[in-house]
Amino acid sequence: MRSRWERKIAVSGTEDCGFVILRKRLSILADRLKAVATWLKRDVVVLWLAARDPETPLAARLVAFLTTAYALSPVDLILDFIPLLGLLDDLVLVPAGI
């Protein structure tokens, strides 16, 4: 069965409907990236607790502290209001720190 967007392309036959599909897919991708970024920021709380534990090695404490500080700080390498790229730094740097 054809989706609503595929039917619209078949009926109209114009190329601008391809942009509608692209915009919809980018919107879905952006929503997924936001969900993953939110999930990663929740894991930062666990890192903060690990950094405060006295039995955690010093190197692991340092990485956990820096990752937590970056994830919770309002300053980002790439600003969050830039579509897709704004969340990319959170999706790369925070998991690398975890």
Side-chain angles (χ1 to χ4, degrees):
M1 177 140 206
R2 287 182 172 182
S3 71
R4 181 173 66 121
W5 301 108
E6 291 171 340
R7 285 192 303 260
K8 189 173 183 177
I9 290 174
V11 170
S12 68
T14 61
E15 294 182 21
D16 64 336
C17 290
F19 292 115
V20 172
I21 293 172
L22 180 62
R23 189 176 348 146
K24 179 69 174 175
R25 288 185 181 173
L26 286 176
S27 173
I28 291 170
L29 179 62
D31 291 341
R32 287 181 184 171
L33 288 175
K34 287 178 187 176
V36 170
T38 302
W39 175 73
L40 286 174
K41 287 185 179 185
R42 287 183 199 151
D43 284 350
V44 169
V45 174
V46 175
L47 281 177
W48 179 252
L49 294 173
R52 295 180 65 204
D53 186 14
E55 295 181 12
T56 305
L58 183 61
R61 276 181 168 187
L62 183 63
V63 170
F65 175 73
L66 291 175
T67 303
T68 304
Y70 177 75
L72 295 178
S73 72
V75 178
D76 284 336
L77 292 177
I78 302 172
L79 301 176
D80 286 339
F81 67 85
I82 300 172
L84 297 177
L85 292 176
L87 298 174
L88 192 61
D89 63 335
D90 291 334
L91 295 176
V92 172
L93 295 176
V94 175
I98 291 174

